[in-house]
Amino acid sequence: MFVKPHAVMPPTIELVKSKLEGAGLTILQEGDISSEDIDSKKLVDQHYYAIASKATITPPAELVVPEDKFTEFFGESWASVLQDGRAFTAIDACKELGLSGAEMDEAWGKAKGDGKIIKLGGGFYAGQLQKGDKSIYTFNAFYMSMRDRFTVPGGSIHYFAVEWDAATLAWADFRGKLLGPTDPAAAPADSIRGLIYSDWKKLGLSGEPNTGDNGVHASASPFEGLAEKMNWLEVKPSEDAFGASIIADGLDEATLAQWILDPVVTQADGKGSLFDALEEIGRASCRERV
């Protein structure tokens, strides 16, 4: 888990540490990761891969864009847009237009209001923006303001790698009672997010926490924890207790490298996120399902 950049203050870090240890968790490792590293290594982009891959990682020419759908909506072919060099990742579109992440968020919102945004697939949106008398196209640019929160110069996250006895604390209670729900206003008063929400002024935060800036993030399952340790802490799966156990069970590392990107998988009730399918499942059950 980690303290998000907006909340990285000594009092907040101490509050989180105190709550973790008070609940019987063992802190195996903690430290800071600078915004400069988060930016250059694209750590936050891997963290939000399902959305960010379309915005910052995959070149437009490698995106699977439905040609007919694109042409019908925008009135020009995807092939011609590519040939003219008018398709950009969201991060490159910011540079092309001279916009910050927040400004791109505004431009994306205006394009949406003008009917120039189309959904091409699950978590995959294309938008038409103006540059002088030309149109350029970009993808999932709403992500840029979220990315900015993690990459603003001089910032950081403060992480904790933790473990605990599953017999004394279920994953559902770790997330619901100790951490608190995503909306901090709805969190139990004595949860980590609940305390950050109620005491944000005393903790030195610049504004009241909300669903996006809710103080802390924590993995939702042992598998998601492994994925996030591999990303943020560069942990090798074979050197992680849970990672080693699922590899010993027969999961090859090439498959694991795909699964940690949270692909869409078939479930009993249809298709959905792999991480969501394993959410709040304890280590033994999670190992069986993987």
Side-chain angles (χ1 to χ4, degrees):
M1 68 183 295
F2 58 75
V3 180
K4 294 182 177 180
H6 77 99
V8 175
M9 303 279 186
T12 310
I13 293 169
E14 186 54 40
L15 182 155
V16 174
K17 188 171 184 176
S18 174
K19 288 291 292 182
L20 293 174
E21 292 178 335
L25 281 72
T26 300
I27 297 173
L28 303 174
Q29 184 181 354
E30 71 171 297
D32 298 291
I33 302 175
S34 71
S35 59
E36 288 77 12
D37 276 349
I38 293 171
D39 187 11
S40 65
K41 296 179 181 179
K42 294 193 172 182
L43 299 178
V44 68
D45 303 318
Q46 288 291 124
H47 184 77
Y48 293 114
Y49 188 84
I51 296 171
S53 61
K54 309 291 195 306
T56 66
I57 297 173
T58 307
E62 296 179 14
L63 293 173
V64 181
V65 173
E67 296 260 3
D68 293 347
K69 196 170 187 178
F70 186 93
T71 301
E72 181 181 356
F73 187 82
F74 292 115
E76 59 179 325
S77 74
W78 172 237
S80 68
V81 168
L82 280 177
Q83 185 175 359
D84 294 344
R86 292 186 290 118
F88 300 85
T89 61
I91 196 168
D92 286 338
C94 284
K95 296 173 185 175
E96 183 73 10
L97 299 174
L99 301 178
S100 67
E103 290 167 338
M104 173 57 83
D105 198 46
E106 292 179 10
W108 185 263
K110 183 179 185 304
K112 183 177 181 180
D114 293 341
K116 295 181 179 180
I117 303 289
I118 184 174
K119 183 176 183 179
L120 299 175
F124 183 20
Y125 296 83
Q128 183 185 50
L129 305 175
Q130 286 301 124
K131 182 185 180 185
D133 59 354
K134 291 184 179 181
S135 295
I136 70 166
Y137 294 86
T138 191
F139 307 88
N140 289 8
F142 56 85
Y143 168 70
M144 295 310 298
S145 61
M146 183 191 306
R147 188 180 196 275
D148 267 8
R149 297 183 187 123
F150 285 84
T151 59
V152 61
S156 67
I157 66 165
H158 187 89
Y159 68 85
F160 297 91
V162 300
E163 68 176 8
W164 68 89
D165 184 349
T168 63
L169 181 67
W171 270 89
D173 289 338
F174 165 67
R175 297 189 73 227
K177 296 180 180 179
L178 180 58
L179 178 68
T182 303
D183 180 359
D190 61 347
S191 68
I192 293 172
R193 285 176 175 157
L195 289 168
I196 293 173
Y197 179 76
S198 63
D199 294 342
W200 66 271
K201 291 183 180 178
K202 293 180 182 178
L203 295 171
L205 275 62
S206 61
E208 183 178 77
N210 53 44
T211 301
D213 289 335
N214 55 14
V216 289
H217 163 81
S219 307
S221 72
F223 186 81
E224 188 173 325
L226 170 63
E228 293 181 348
K229 283 186 282 184
M230 289 172 64
N231 177 43
W232 292 99
L233 305 183
E234 300 180 5
V235 169
K236 294 180 180 179
S238 60
E239 296 175 357
D240 176 82
F242 182 75
S245 69
I246 59 177
I247 290 171
D249 288 342
L251 182 64
D252 63 275
E253 294 199 35
T255 300
L256 177 59
Q258 294 300 313
W259 284 8
I260 63 171
L261 299 179
D262 191 20
V264 173
V265 295
T266 301
Q267 304 170 38
D269 56 351
K271 292 185 176 181
S273 156
L274 174 61
F275 285 5
D276 288 350
L278 299 174
E279 190 170 291
E280 296 185 351
I281 295 175
R283 177 174 173 172
S285 297
C286 190
R287 180 176 173 180
E288 288 176 6
R289 292 201 184 190
V290 169

